[in-house]
Amino acid sequence: MSQTAEIKADGQSYELPMMEGSEQEKAIDIGKFRAQSGIITIDPGFKNTGSTTSAITFLDGEKGILRYRGYPIEQLAEKSSFLEVAYLLIYGDLPSKDEHDKFTNQVTRRSLVHEDIKNILTGFPSNAHPMGVLSSLVSSLTAFYPQSLDPHRGTDMVNLSILRLIAKLPTIAAWTYKNKIGQSLNFPVNELDYVSNFLHMMFSVPTEEYSVNPVVAQALDKLLILHADHEQNCSTSTVRLVGSSQASLYSSIASGICALWGPLHGGANQAVIEMLERIKDDGGDTKKWMDKAKDKDDPFRLMGFGHRVYKNFDPRARIIKKAADDVLADLGVNDPVLDIAKGLEEVALSDEYFVERKLYPNVDFYSGIIYRALGIPVEFFTVMFALGRLPGWIAQWKEMTENNEPIGRPRQIYTGATERDYTDLSSR
Ligand code: SDX
């Protein structure tokens, strides 16, 4: 496509190249616009600005489409496994049987962490939020694996660093939980699959045999798949920006964990449950809370609703909502906040404020209900999001590194004081 775009500014006309992606998305390349015109573009929140090209995830917000490397999320959630999806995202294709078995075996055999990590872990007070602990411990991996610091140290070392992180994050996450509740740490068990091993490390206690419930393991595997990547969201953009300075994989991922923590992003799954509990404790008056969400003067927002890109149903929310029904039924759990959530969704989908703004339930609206039914504490929900998003972050960092993308350094428009002279303190 050799199309160009014409921009007229300050009485001048400028011709800029356009580009088109494999799904017919179009962009104006403004890379040379400032050099030609002295003018920059500005777009707070990057609502209409692309930061890169990527071959990893495609989503169409208007149509509610989400695909990893071309595979529809619905098929992967139904038929694949989280480790297989991790391989797909990172290496670009579904693994052969041999590749799958080798990858799984390598991950299984790297799940132990250095014993000295316990010294860092026990240094945290029990009221520390697990996301702060998780990002600190991931960053600490740079100390235990200094050869991971150089992102250009060669494919073998990059792949080893990737394997270590995928293998150790569940251990680090489970140890973060056990340390917080004051229970002894569990070591990984190589005979268990990835998700079962995590559940074992989270919930096994020395006093009784813990057996993994297959319904729980299957639900969790599906949730991790649904969270695995989502193109240039806030935390992924953070990983790419930090990595663009040639900081290491581990420091880039630790930064992504911090970005995900925010309640407008991954922290929303915790905020949703806290909101639903608040509504339940307040008598379950969904209309009162919907009115608050619509009131410009009220800071309350309907957490788990709305999305920067999806202006249709978040396809992940559809799958998670059904999974929530199935898991709670299988486990015989009756959670009143699920009914409140469904009531809010029903009202919102016919309310002019939400319809006009195309606000639909997003991935975070129902996920917390499942995590809670699985016995995962609410402060840990965003850790679960991070566990799921890890392969996406890794794939995006790897793509950025392999493409030798330039260091990210946005411009600005200055609006502060113009030049003025210093005055002595005595004269002020
Ligand atoms: C994730 O980007 C990703 O892909 C993220 C993610 C991923 O997989 O990585 O999908 C995961 O982060 C999902 C989003 C989780 N966050 C929440 O659920 C928090 C609640 N939602 C909102 O704060 C909001 O919808 C955002 C942050 C998700 C999106 O915000 P935008 O795109 O900046 O939109 P906006 O804040 O400008 O809202 C547009 C309008 C505003 O009203 P007006 O000023 O036009 O009158 O919609 C209103 C907003 O006030 N609005 C809401 C609302 N969300 C937007 N009003 C009430 N409740 C809400 N939840």
Side-chain angles (χ1 to χ4, degrees):
M1 181 194 91
S2 61
Q3 271 184 22
T4 58
E6 181 185 9
I7 292 185
K8 289 185 177 177
D10 281 353
Q12 297 276 338
S13 171
Y14 303 91
E15 202 162 273
L16 295 169
M18 290 189 71
M19 66 182 310
E20 183 170 330
S22 53
E23 289 286 349
Q24 291 72 54
E25 297 166 303
K26 292 184 174 65
I28 299 171
D29 181 344
I30 58 165
K32 295 186 170 54
F33 183 48
R34 185 176 183 275
Q36 293 171 10
S37 67
I39 300 169
I40 67 166
T41 60
I42 192 162
D43 182 17
F46 312 113
K47 294 192 175 188
N48 305 286
T49 299
S51 58
T52 189
T53 58
S54 177
I56 298 169
T57 292
F58 170 70
L59 64 88
D60 181 320
E62 282 66 35
K63 294 177 186 160
I65 292 172
L66 174 59
R67 301 188 199 122
Y68 296 160
R69 299 283 188 182
Y71 294 96
I73 192 71
E74 294 79 4
Q75 294 181 25
L76 294 171
E78 190 60 39
K79 300 173 182 171
S80 186
S81 70
F82 176 62
L83 270 195
E84 183 177 74
V85 166
Y87 186 99
L88 169 66
L89 287 167
I90 296 167
Y91 296 107
D93 285 305
L94 287 172
S96 66
K97 176 83 172 60
D98 288 348
E99 289 165 336
H100 177 274
D101 294 349
K102 183 181 173 194
F103 183 70
T104 303
N105 183 50
Q106 286 175 323
V107 168
T108 300
R109 273 156 181 64
R110 293 194 180 281
S111 51
L112 276 174
V113 295
H114 195 293
E115 281 289 290
D116 286 355
I117 278 198
K118 288 179 186 174
N119 302 331
I120 305 169
L121 180 64
T122 52
F124 284 97
S126 59
N127 64 346
H129 193 289
M131 285 296 276
V133 178
L134 194 78
S135 63
S136 305
L137 294 181
V138 168
S139 189
S140 80
L141 293 175
T142 55
F144 296 102
Y145 302 102
Q147 66 275 50
S148 68
L149 288 171
D150 176 2
H152 298 293
R153 191 168 168 145
T155 307
D156 290 347
M157 181 46 68
V158 168
N159 284 333
L160 178 55
S161 298
I162 288 171
L163 280 173
R164 281 173 167 155
L165 189 51
I166 292 180
K168 297 175 192 309
L169 195 63
T171 307
I172 289 172
W175 282 15
T176 299
Y177 171 62
K178 286 297 200 183
N179 183 63
K180 184 173 181 61
I181 61 174
Q183 283 188 1
S184 57
L185 306 180
N186 291 313
F187 285 98
V189 171
N190 288 352
E191 288 66 41
L192 296 174
D193 65 58
Y194 191 81
V195 166
S196 300
N197 207 4
F198 171 70
L199 290 167
H200 146 71
M201 290 188 282
M202 283 283 286
F203 298 120
S204 277
V205 288
T207 49
E208 57 191 58
E209 185 63 30
Y210 174 77
S211 58
V212 174
N213 179 330
V215 170
V216 170
Q218 188 188 22
L220 188 48
D221 195 83
K222 183 176 284 194
L223 278 170
L224 294 177
I225 288 173
L226 292 169
H227 286 80
D229 193 50
H230 213 241
E231 54 132 278
Q232 304 311 316
N233 59 84
C234 176
S235 54
T236 298
S237 298
T238 301
V239 169
R240 287 183 84 121
L241 188 61
V242 170
S244 72
S245 73
Q246 297 195 6
S248 72
L249 172 64
Y250 297 160
S251 33
S252 303
I253 299 297
S255 309
I257 292 170
C258 291
L260 186 71
W261 192 353
L264 294 188
H265 188 17
N269 57 19
Q270 172 178 344
V272 166
I273 290 295
E274 289 167 347
M275 170 190 76
L276 294 173
E277 282 289 352
R278 200 173 156 203
I279 295 172
K280 177 171 72 77
D281 295 345
D282 183 47
D285 179 354
T286 47
K287 182 178 180 324
K288 168 186 170 185
W289 290 89
M290 293 297 283
D291 291 343
K292 284 172 65 68
K294 297 187 287 188
D295 179 354
K296 284 278 160 249
D297 299 324
D298 190 321
F300 175 77
R301 279 202 156 179
L302 198 59
M303 301 310 279
F305 254 79
H307 198 278
R308 173 59 57 76
V309 177
Y310 287 125
K311 301 309 170 189
N312 195 325
F313 248 94
D314 181 334
R316 301 166 297 177
R318 283 189 199 283
I319 299 170
I320 294 175
K321 178 181 177 182
K322 182 175 183 312
D325 281 331
D326 296 347
V327 168
L328 268 63
D330 281 331
L331 297 179
V333 169
N334 174 27
D335 189 344
V337 298
L338 177 58
D339 297 332
I340 292 176
K342 288 182 175 177
L344 284 169
E345 177 188 344
E346 194 179 324
V347 172
L349 293 184
S350 57
D351 179 284
E352 187 196 334
Y353 174 94
F354 285 82
V355 172
E356 188 186 300
R357 291 167 179 79
K358 297 182 179 179
L359 302 176
Y360 291 88
N362 59 48
V363 66
D364 294 307
F365 192 60
Y366 287 105
S367 55
I369 290 166
I370 299 182
Y371 290 140
R372 189 153 85 159
L374 303 186
I376 291 165
V378 65
E379 258 204 338
F380 219 74
F381 288 179
T382 313
V383 170
M384 301 309 297
F385 196 141
L387 274 179
R389 186 51 53 88
L390 179 64
W393 286 333
I394 290 171
Q396 299 271 352
W397 175 90
K398 184 170 177 282
E399 181 179 69
M400 181 273 307
T401 303
E402 287 170 349
N403 292 346
N404 288 308
E405 292 195 8
I407 184 169
R409 200 270 184 226
R411 295 246 178 202
Q412 65 160 29
I413 293 295
Y414 176 70
T415 57
T418 52
E419 185 175 6
R420 53 185 173 167
D421 294 326
Y422 180 81
T423 54
D424 290 338
L425 185 59
S426 57
S427 64
R428 268 180 262 155

